[in-house]
Amino acid sequence: MATASALYIALCIIGMGSVIASSLVLMSVLKLLGGAFLLSVAYHALKARRSDYAFITDLETGSKAQNSFAKEFALGLFSGLSDPKSIIFYMSLFSVILTPNVNPALSVALGAWMSVSEFLWGAAIVMALSGRRVRTAFGKAAFYIDKLAGVLLGLIGLKLLQSALQRQL
């Protein structure tokens, strides 16, 4: 997800964020893709069985974790890229901060700082959830958290699809 944010940050610095945000077609495509992706995630979360969460408390997942890095990276990247709020957020932020008078080196430094901050935040979350006690407690609650998240993500996905389709009608 940090890679997706870094890509959106770079696009905003070079001015593509305003092009995407001002294009109804591109925003509609992002909303359609994002909505479909969120509905897919919601479906999988809601159909999962309690036994599907056993890996969370299993501390011997080394080989499985190594084999799934590419899959997890792709999932995080697509999740970040399909969120139309990200490009709008970064574009709004950069439109206030990066005026034509700002030195390009400062723009690049700000983008790098924001990208590193996003990565460090994600890494901190992973580290916090990887401790044995937290992982055990999370493992007990994950089934219910996933069901709630599935409902919420499904509703957000439907809202994105509705928003994209209303603009097309």
Side-chain angles (χ1 to χ4, degrees):
M1 291 189 72
T3 302
S5 290
L7 180 60
Y8 275 150
I9 289 167
L11 288 174
C12 287
I13 288 173
I14 63 173
M16 289 303 294
S18 59
V19 171
I20 293 171
S22 65
S23 170
L24 290 178
V25 172
L26 285 175
M27 281 305 288
S28 292
V29 168
L30 278 176
K31 286 180 179 184
L32 287 170
L33 290 173
F37 175 74
L38 289 177
L39 286 174
S40 171
V41 171
Y43 170 76
H44 290 292
L46 292 172
K47 81 171 189 131
R49 299 175 307 244
R50 185 179 299 279
S51 62
D52 294 336
Y53 299 87
F55 75 93
I56 294 172
T57 55
D58 180 14
L59 298 176
E60 304 298 324
T61 58
S63 62
K64 183 178 180 180
Q66 290 173 354
N67 292 335
S68 67
F69 175 79
K71 178 182 172 187
E72 296 298 324
F73 180 83
L75 181 66
L77 180 65
F78 188 72
S79 176
L81 290 175
S82 65
D83 182 2
K85 294 181 299 299
S86 295
I87 190 72
I88 293 169
F89 170 75
Y90 291 121
M91 186 201 62
S92 300
L93 182 66
F94 282 121
S95 68
V96 172
I97 297 171
L98 300 179
T99 63
N101 301 331
V102 172
N103 184 334
L106 178 62
S107 299
V108 171
L110 180 61
W113 175 77
M114 290 178 71
S115 298
V116 169
S117 296
E118 180 80 24
F119 174 78
L120 291 175
W121 174 252
I125 296 295
V126 168
M127 294 301 292
L129 291 176
S130 65
R132 181 183 296 259
R133 295 173 86 187
V134 173
R135 193 170 175 168
T136 300
F138 181 73
K140 292 177 182 175
F143 176 77
Y144 302 105
I145 292 170
D146 224 19
K147 298 306 175 198
L148 177 62
V151 169
L152 294 175
L153 291 175
L155 291 173
I156 293 168
L158 288 172
K159 185 65 177 167
L160 277 173
L161 290 176
Q162 177 192 22
S163 172
L165 294 173
Q166 279 180 336
R167 296 203 183 235
Q168 299 300 319
L169 300 176

